[in-house]
């Protein structure tokens, strides 16, 4: 296990240096392509977390910080994601693909006491990475060219704390800090013109908000069946996003080197509704250490954001998720696959983007496994986590873009009684 632990940290160095996040062309709007939740445990179960309390002592839940009643060990998680996107549009029957691999989650969590648990997490929250060139010949023979380019990443760092009120009720809170820069450029040029007209938007983001959570779980000790309810709310933006917009004409004297620039219009604005109100409710049912199934509804209030000198209004959106896990027999040490945790899930998301009367919706299915290390048992469930997510986003209507995706995730969860002094040798 020590060799695997060292190898994983070498991998972290590689992914940090090669961090390049792929995303959809719909990332041009707003703060980019939001990575709903990069944790393997959550995404392999369709995104459920609000009413999910792990049966095992090694899993810390950041989605709903109240759901950590059973967490007893120090846990370190390192995870990476490989995204594979396949795009198609009816406009000129165009097809394209895009792939990327990046570090998607670093987390450490530990118990402070039997009632108080704490965790720290870093992961990318959203990204922009696109460069699209479109040309068209007009009626008079003039060639019109449009270039759409964007890049940047918005990251999040989180601190979560959980408090167990009694055997059934728990509460939790999470502080979320978002930081990063996002850049968009739209260039218009004609074959008969010497200058390019560029519309440039730069967003510098430092934002802070809070997530509150609560959970209730009732265990029937005679049947080992359990019923779970959970809810979260995210609110309280405490800082602004600075937006700089420039409309200018220029030409290039080298690769991406502007010359002869003339400013036509320039605006600087701030926005404090970058990350609006979000809420989630969930319900779950299962059998202790055997299986669990949960359903969840997430709501996100629409927001307005500055984009190329204008405002773009996002609609209210929601997401419906269902998923769970199955463990055949954790006491069967003769059959390794009887001790593997199998996960499954599905989701449907009504997106906040609406173009030409079409909502840009998303749906998918997911599956995954937690392969325990050889010496792991039910009280110290450390291992290799693998998940796959398949789905679709967008539409072919009105020459819009249909996106199919296959996301692969892999990571390690190291859990043990680290950093805690033993009373007896």
């Amino acid at each position: 296990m020590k060799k695997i632990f060292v190898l994983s940290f070498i991998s972290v160095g590689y992914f940090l240096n090669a961090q390049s996040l792929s995303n959809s062309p719909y990332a041009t709007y707003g703060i980019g392509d939001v990575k709903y939740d990069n944790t393997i445990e959550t995404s392999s179960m369709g995104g459920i977390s609000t009413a999910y309390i792990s049966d095992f002592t090694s899993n810390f839940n950041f989605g709903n910080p109240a759901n950590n009643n059973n967490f007893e060990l120090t846990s370190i998680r390192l995870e990476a994601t490989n995204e594979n996107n396949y795009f198609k549009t009816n406009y000129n029957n165009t097809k394209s693909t895009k792939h990327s691999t990046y570090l998607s989650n670093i987390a450490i969590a530990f118990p402070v006491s039997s009632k108080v648990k704490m965790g720290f997490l870093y992961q990318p929250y959203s990204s922009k990475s696109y460069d699209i060139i479109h040309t068209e010949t007009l009626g008079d023979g003039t060639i019109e060219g449009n270039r759409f380019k964007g890049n940047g990443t918005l990251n999040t760092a989180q601190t979560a704390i959980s408090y167990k009120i009694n055997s059934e009720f728990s509460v939790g809170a999470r502080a979320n800090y978002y930081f990063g820069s996002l850049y968009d450029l739209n260039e218009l040029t004609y074959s008969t013109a010497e200058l390019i007209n560029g519309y440039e938007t730069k967003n510098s983001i430092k934002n802070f908000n809070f997530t509150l959570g609560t959970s209730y779980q009732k265990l029937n000790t005679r049947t080992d069946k359990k019923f779970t309810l959970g809810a979260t709310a995210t609110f309280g933006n405490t800082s602004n996003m600075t937006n700089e917009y420039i409309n200018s004409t220029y030409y290039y004297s080298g690769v991406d080197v502007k010359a002869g620039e003339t400013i036509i219009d320039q605006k600087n604005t701030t926005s404090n509704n970058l990350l609006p109100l979000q809420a989630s409710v969930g319900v779950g049912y299962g059998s202790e250490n055997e299986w669990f199934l949960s359903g969840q509804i997430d709501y996100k209030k629409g927001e307005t954001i500055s984009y190329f000198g204008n405002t773009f209004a996002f609609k209210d959106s929601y997401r419906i998720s269902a998923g769970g896990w199955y463990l055949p027999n954790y006491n069967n040490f003769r059959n390794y696959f009887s001790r593997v945790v199998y996960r499954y899930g599905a989701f449907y998301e009504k997106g906040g983007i609406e173009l030409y009367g079409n909502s840009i919706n998303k749906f998918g299915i997911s599956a995954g496994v937690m392969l325990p290390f050889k010496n792991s048992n039910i009280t110290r469930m450390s291992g290799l986590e693998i998940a796959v997510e398949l789905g679709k986003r967008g539409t072919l209507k009105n020459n819009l873009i249909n996106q199919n995706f296959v996301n692969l995730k892999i990571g390690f969860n190291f859990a043990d009684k680290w950093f805690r002094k033993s009373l007896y040798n």
Side-chain angles (χ1 to χ4, degrees):
M1 180 173 172
K2 289 182 179 179
K3 292 181 180 179
I4 298 176
F5 188 77
V6 173
L7 178 62
S8 67
F9 273 100
I10 294 174
S11 301
V12 167
Y14 168 78
F15 286 120
L16 284 174
N17 289 325
Q19 195 86 322
S20 175
L21 280 68
S22 170
N23 50 52
S24 164
Y26 297 114
T28 58
Y29 299 94
I31 60 173
D33 194 21
V34 175
K35 312 297 178 183
Y36 180 76
D37 195 320
N38 280 297
T39 61
I40 295 176
E41 184 178 27
T42 298
S43 59
S44 64
M45 296 188 292
I48 63 159
S49 62
T50 305
Y52 169 60
I53 300 176
S54 176
D55 287 24
F56 315 118
T57 59
S58 56
N59 296 340
F60 190 91
N61 187 330
F62 284 89
N64 183 352
N67 290 342
N68 293 294
N69 296 358
N70 299 326
F71 183 74
E72 296 179 359
L73 305 174
T74 298
S75 169
I76 296 177
R77 285 182 175 270
L78 305 168
E79 300 178 354
T81 297
N82 171 249
E83 292 188 359
N84 303 275
N85 293 301
Y86 306 89
F87 306 109
K88 180 181 179 181
T89 176
N90 286 337
Y91 184 82
N92 290 336
N93 197 28
T94 302
K95 297 180 182 180
S96 65
T97 61
K98 194 170 186 180
H99 312 278
S100 70
T101 301
Y102 60 93
L103 179 69
S104 54
N105 185 25
I106 304 175
I108 181 170
F110 51 88
V112 178
S113 68
S114 60
K115 290 182 175 291
V116 179
K117 318 295 169 62
M118 179 172 283
F120 301 91
L121 173 145
Y122 157 84
Q123 65 180 21
Y125 180 79
S126 69
S127 68
K128 289 177 179 280
S129 177
Y130 64 93
D131 193 350
I132 304 169
I133 297 176
H134 168 66
T135 60
E136 184 174 350
T137 302
L138 305 180
D140 61 357
T142 302
I143 299 176
E144 178 188 79
N146 276 279
R147 184 187 188 191
F148 303 91
K149 181 181 179 181
N151 56 65
T153 301
L154 179 60
N155 302 293
T156 179
Q158 302 175 356
T159 301
I161 189 167
S162 174
Y163 178 73
K164 182 178 180 180
I165 298 174
N166 55 40
S167 60
E168 296 178 352
F169 288 96
S170 296
V171 294
R174 191 181 75 229
N176 313 297
Y177 177 61
Y178 304 88
F179 58 97
S181 298
L182 302 172
Y183 173 81
D184 292 281
L185 174 66
N186 176 207
E187 292 181 326
L188 176 64
T189 183
Y190 294 92
S191 58
T192 56
E194 296 181 355
L195 297 177
I196 298 169
N197 188 193
Y199 303 84
E200 187 177 53
T201 301
K202 297 178 181 179
N203 293 311
S204 179
I205 301 161
K206 293 181 180 179
N207 201 84
F208 193 74
N209 64 14
F210 297 91
T211 299
L212 299 181
T214 184
S215 67
Y216 165 82
Q217 185 174 83
K218 180 68 174 180
L219 174 64
N220 186 325
T221 54
R222 290 185 296 107
T223 63
D224 281 340
K225 297 295 189 295
K226 56 185 179 181
F227 174 75
T228 311
L229 289 173
T232 66
T234 300
F235 58 91
N237 287 307
T238 60
S239 59
N240 296 327
M241 175 178 72
T242 302
N243 175 274
E244 180 184 354
Y245 163 72
I246 299 175
N247 176 9
S248 63
T249 59
Y250 49 86
Y251 64 91
Y252 285 111
S253 62
V255 178
D256 290 334
V257 179
K258 296 179 181 178
E261 185 172 17
T262 301
I263 304 296
I264 300 174
D265 187 22
Q266 186 170 6
K267 298 177 184 178
N268 289 282
T269 60
T270 58
S271 174
N272 60 5
N273 61 346
L274 169 67
L275 299 165
L277 172 69
Q278 300 179 58
S280 176
V281 293
V283 59
Y285 185 75
S287 181
E288 187 79 356
N289 296 328
E290 291 183 1
W291 59 270
F292 181 76
L293 178 64
S294 177
Q296 177 175 318
I297 300 177
D298 303 315
Y299 166 79
K300 182 178 180 181
K301 184 176 176 59
E303 74 267 23
T304 300
I305 191 170
S306 296
Y307 182 68
F308 291 143
N310 300 306
T311 57
F312 184 85
F314 284 80
K315 307 293 183 180
D316 291 5
S317 61
Y318 64 85
R319 176 182 172 119
I320 301 173
S321 308
W325 57 266
Y326 171 67
L327 177 59
N329 185 354
Y330 64 88
N331 285 320
N332 187 353
F333 282 85
R334 293 184 177 181
N335 186 342
Y336 176 81
F337 292 99
S338 292
R339 300 192 298 115
V340 172
V341 180
Y342 300 90
R343 299 173 180 145
Y344 52 90
F347 67 88
Y348 170 80
E349 181 177 334
K350 182 184 182 301
I353 298 176
E354 187 174 292
L355 302 173
Y356 306 108
N358 300 292
S359 293
I360 307 304
N361 302 326
K362 182 179 181 180
F363 65 87
I365 59 174
S366 59
V369 293
M370 205 292 284
L371 303 170
F373 294 138
K374 186 176 181 179
N375 59 348
S376 287
N377 54 44
I378 197 66
T379 60
R380 299 187 183 185
M381 189 69 81
S382 295
L384 173 68
E385 306 211 43
I386 302 173
V388 60
E389 186 180 51
L390 299 87
K392 175 184 178 296
R393 185 186 186 192
T395 177
L396 293 174
K397 296 179 181 178
N398 299 103
N399 287 328
L400 293 175
I401 297 172
N402 180 76
Q403 172 189 358
N404 293 316
F405 58 86
V406 179
N407 298 330
L408 306 175
K409 300 171 184 285
I410 186 168
F412 298 94
N413 179 19
F414 304 98
D416 211 326
K417 294 182 179 181
W418 297 332
F419 316 128
R420 294 156 67 182
K421 179 182 277 188
S422 300
L423 294 178
Y424 306 98
N425 291 324

